Amino acid sequence: MPQSLAHVALVVRDYDEALAFYVGQLGFELVEDTYQPEQDKRWIVVKPKGEGEGEGAASIVLARASNDHQADYIGDQAGGRVFLFLRTDDFWRDYEAYRAQGIEFIREPNEAPYGIVSVFKDLYGNLWDLVQFTDGRA
Protein backbone atom coordinates (compact mmCIF):
# COMPACT_ATOMS: atom_id res chain seq x y z
CA MET A 1 0.00 0.00 0.00
CA PRO A 2 1.63 3.30 -1.06
CA GLN A 3 1.87 5.95 1.63
CA SER A 4 3.14 9.51 1.71
CA LEU A 5 3.51 12.30 4.22
CA ALA A 6 0.56 14.68 3.94
CA HIS A 7 1.22 17.41 6.54
CA VAL A 8 3.61 18.33 9.32
CA ALA A 9 2.15 20.48 12.12
CA LEU A 10 4.32 23.43 13.13
CA VAL A 11 3.30 25.05 16.42
CA VAL A 12 3.20 28.85 16.06
CA ARG A 13 2.45 31.78 18.34
CA ASP A 14 0.26 33.72 15.92
CA TYR A 15 -1.30 32.77 12.60
CA ASP A 16 -0.70 36.06 10.82
CA GLU A 17 2.94 36.49 11.87
CA ALA A 18 3.60 32.90 10.79
CA LEU A 19 1.95 33.55 7.42
CA ALA A 20 4.02 36.72 6.98
CA PHE A 21 7.18 34.68 7.48
CA TYR A 22 6.39 31.50 5.56
CA VAL A 23 4.53 33.12 2.66
CA GLY A 24 6.06 36.60 2.72
CA GLN A 25 9.70 35.82 3.46
CA LEU A 26 10.22 32.19 2.46
CA GLY A 27 7.88 32.44 -0.54
CA PHE A 28 5.76 29.41 0.34
CA GLU A 29 2.33 29.08 -1.22
CA LEU A 30 -0.80 29.46 0.89
CA VAL A 31 -2.85 26.32 0.22
CA GLU A 32 -5.70 26.90 2.67
CA ASP A 33 -6.76 29.33 5.39
CA THR A 34 -10.14 28.29 6.77
CA TYR A 35 -11.70 29.42 10.04
CA GLN A 36 -13.12 26.56 12.13
CA PRO A 37 -15.66 28.21 14.46
CA GLU A 38 -16.41 25.04 16.43
CA GLN A 39 -12.80 25.04 17.68
CA ASP A 40 -12.11 28.78 17.32
CA LYS A 41 -9.03 28.13 15.23
CA ARG A 42 -7.83 28.40 11.66
CA TRP A 43 -6.76 25.51 9.44
CA ILE A 44 -3.78 27.04 7.66
CA VAL A 45 -1.75 24.97 5.21
CA VAL A 46 1.35 26.21 3.39
CA LYS A 47 3.83 24.47 1.11
CA PRO A 48 7.04 25.30 -0.69
CA LYS A 49 6.61 26.50 -4.25
CA GLY A 50 6.99 23.61 -6.63
CA GLU A 51 5.97 20.98 -4.05
CA GLY A 52 3.34 19.58 -6.39
CA GLU A 53 -0.35 18.93 -5.96
CA GLY A 54 -2.54 16.24 -4.47
CA GLU A 55 -1.35 12.94 -3.08
CA GLY A 56 2.33 12.81 -2.27
CA ALA A 57 2.68 16.58 -1.80
CA ALA A 58 3.87 17.39 1.72
CA SER A 59 2.77 20.62 3.39
CA ILE A 60 2.91 22.38 6.74
CA VAL A 61 -0.07 23.07 8.99
CA LEU A 62 0.54 26.29 10.92
CA ALA A 63 -1.01 25.32 14.26
CA ARG A 64 -1.42 28.07 16.83
CA ALA A 65 -0.55 26.90 20.35
CA SER A 66 -3.78 26.46 22.27
CA ASN A 67 -2.33 26.13 25.79
CA ASP A 68 0.81 26.91 27.79
CA HIS A 69 2.24 23.42 27.31
CA GLN A 70 2.10 23.71 23.52
CA ALA A 71 3.46 27.27 23.69
CA ASP A 72 6.54 25.97 25.51
CA TYR A 73 7.58 24.18 22.30
CA ILE A 74 7.26 27.08 19.89
CA GLY A 75 10.65 27.42 18.25
CA ASP A 76 12.03 24.23 19.79
CA GLN A 77 9.97 21.43 18.32
CA ALA A 78 13.06 19.29 17.70
CA GLY A 79 14.99 20.03 20.88
CA GLY A 80 17.54 22.24 19.12
CA ARG A 81 18.19 19.93 16.17
CA VAL A 82 17.38 20.71 12.57
CA PHE A 83 13.64 20.11 12.34
CA LEU A 84 12.73 20.52 8.68
CA PHE A 85 14.65 20.08 5.43
CA LEU A 86 13.83 22.37 2.51
CA ARG A 87 15.05 20.88 -0.77
CA THR A 88 15.89 23.26 -3.62
CA ASP A 89 16.99 22.83 -7.22
CA ASP A 90 19.26 25.91 -6.97
CA PHE A 91 20.90 26.38 -3.59
CA TRP A 92 22.69 29.65 -4.32
CA ARG A 93 19.59 31.31 -5.82
CA ASP A 94 17.49 30.51 -2.76
CA TYR A 95 20.27 31.16 -0.24
CA GLU A 96 20.85 34.66 -1.61
CA ALA A 97 17.11 35.37 -1.92
CA TYR A 98 16.52 34.33 1.68
CA ARG A 99 19.43 36.40 2.94
CA ALA A 100 17.96 39.39 1.08
CA GLN A 101 14.66 38.70 2.92
CA GLY A 102 16.45 38.85 6.27
CA ILE A 103 16.47 35.11 6.95
CA GLU A 104 19.12 34.28 9.58
CA PHE A 105 21.53 31.54 8.56
CA ILE A 106 23.40 30.10 11.52
CA ARG A 107 25.73 27.81 9.55
CA GLU A 108 27.62 28.85 6.47
CA PRO A 109 26.98 26.93 3.26
CA ASN A 110 28.81 23.62 3.18
CA GLU A 111 29.50 21.29 0.29
CA ALA A 112 28.94 17.77 1.60
CA PRO A 113 29.11 14.44 -0.25
CA TYR A 114 25.32 14.56 -0.73
CA GLY A 115 25.03 18.22 -1.77
CA ILE A 116 25.13 21.83 -0.65
CA VAL A 117 23.53 22.72 2.68
CA SER A 118 23.14 25.58 5.15
CA VAL A 119 21.08 25.92 8.33
CA PHE A 120 18.65 28.78 8.91
CA LYS A 121 16.20 29.76 11.64
CA ASP A 122 12.54 30.40 11.15
CA LEU A 123 10.86 33.31 12.93
CA TYR A 124 10.53 31.29 16.15
CA GLY A 125 13.98 29.70 16.17
CA ASN A 126 13.22 26.28 14.66
CA LEU A 127 16.18 25.10 12.61
CA TRP A 128 15.87 24.24 8.93
CA ASP A 129 18.30 22.86 6.38
CA LEU A 130 18.28 24.50 2.98
CA VAL A 131 19.70 21.73 0.83
CA GLN A 132 20.37 20.98 -2.80
CA PHE A 133 21.06 17.28 -3.26
CA THR A 134 23.75 16.62 -5.86
CA ASP A 135 24.20 12.89 -5.36
CA GLY A 136 21.20 11.82 -7.43
CA ARG A 137 18.73 11.27 -4.59
CA ALA A 138 15.16 12.36 -5.21
Side-chain angles (χ1 to χ4, degrees), residues 7 9 17-18 25 27 29 46-47 51 55 57-58 61 63 68 77 85 96 98 105-106 109 121 125 128 134 136-137:
H7 307 293
E17 74 180 6
Q25 287 185 269
E29 294 177 16
V46 297
K47 69 176 185 172
E51 176 58 36
E55 291 183 34
V61 174
D68 290 341
Q77 289 193 210
F85 299 78
E96 293 300 336
Y98 287 167
F105 282 85
I106 63 163
K121 287 184 180 184
W128 289 65
T134 58
R137 71 180 76 191

Side-chain angles (χ1 to χ4, degrees), residues 6-24 28-36 39-48 58-65 124:
H7 307 293
V8 172
L10 182 65
V11 181
V12 302
R13 179 177 40 240
D14 178 83
Y15 293 125
D16 293 322
E17 74 180 6
L19 278 171
F21 179 81
Y22 286 100
V23 175
F28 283 21
E29 294 177 16
L30 176 61
V31 175
E32 184 175 356
D33 184 351
T34 304
Y35 180 65
Q36 297 180 328
Q39 296 178 343
D40 190 30
K41 69 178 186 178
R42 289 160 66 185
W43 176 256
I44 298 178
V45 180
V46 297
K47 69 176 185 172
S59 56
I60 296 173
V61 174
L62 300 177
R64 185 186 66 203
Y124 299 114

Side-chain angles (χ1 to χ4, degrees), residues 112-127:
Y114 56 84
I116 307 167
V117 63
S118 187
V119 178
F120 68 92
K121 287 184 180 184
D122 70 12
L123 75 162
Y124 299 114
N126 292 302
L127 301 180

Side-chain angles (χ1 to χ4, degrees), residues 86-94 130-134:
L86 183 59
R87 179 179 43 228
T88 178
D89 65 344
D90 187 333
F91 176 87
W92 293 108
R93 175 199 64 213
D94 293 343
L130 176 64
V131 60
Q132 179 181 1
F133 294 111
T134 58

Side-chain angles (χ1 to χ4, degrees), residues 96-112:
E96 293 300 336
Y98 287 167
R99 286 185 55 207
Q101 285 290 326
I103 304 300
E104 179 186 358
F105 282 85
I106 63 163
R107 290 193 202 133
E108 292 298 316
N110 178 45
E111 294 205 27

Side-chain angles (χ1 to χ4, degrees), residues 63-75:
R64 185 186 66 203
S66 61
N67 59 48
D68 290 341
H69 179 73
Q70 291 175 10
D72 287 343
Y73 292 93
I74 295 171

